[in-house]
Amino acid sequence: MLKSELIKQLSIAHKDVPVPLIEKSVNRIFSVLTDALEKGRTVEIRGFGTMGITVLKPRQCRNPKTGEHFQAKQKRKVYWRTGKGLNERINASVKK
């Protein structure tokens, strides 16, 4: 689902709220989540999932095309773990 599709679905569900206000709200939510991750905080949405930052240490790498070795710098990466409620919901239709 694209952000524009999310905004459209919310505008259908909440006809009394102007679309620009919905769009501003969605953008603000993503901004708050991004700011928290940028500061190294974990974001948990119960029943949906958890996002956080993990640090990848510097490591030796090799360019497969040239065979040249180089040092990759340390970097931060976002991880995602689905929540129990979401897992149960998406797996409810799977036959056992």
Side-chain angles (χ1 to χ4, degrees), residues 9-71:
Q9 289 294 319
L10 288 171
S11 67
I12 291 168
H14 303 282
K15 295 184 188 304
D16 56 326
V17 181
V19 175
L21 181 58
I22 292 173
E23 186 174 358
K24 188 175 180 180
S25 299
V26 168
N27 287 334
R28 183 65 185 137
I29 289 168
F30 286 130
S31 176
V32 169
L33 296 176
T34 302
D35 290 346
L37 290 170
E38 220 173 18
K39 293 174 184 172
R41 298 183 61 201
T42 300
V43 176
E44 179 183 344
I45 302 170
R46 294 278 167 115
F48 188 71
T50 304
M51 289 180 277
I53 298 293
T54 186
V55 177
L56 300 179
K57 297 178 182 178
R59 58 190 173 91
Q60 277 292 96
C61 299
R62 185 180 70 84
N63 182 333
K65 187 173 183 180
T66 64
E68 177 185 357
H69 290 272
F70 63 96
Q71 181 77 21

Side-chain angles (χ1 to χ4, degrees), residues 64-79:
K65 187 173 183 180
T66 64
E68 177 185 357
H69 290 272
F70 63 96
Q71 181 77 21
K73 297 177 183 176
Q74 175 178 310
K75 63 180 179 178
R76 299 181 333 157
K77 185 176 178 179
V78 176
Y79 68 83

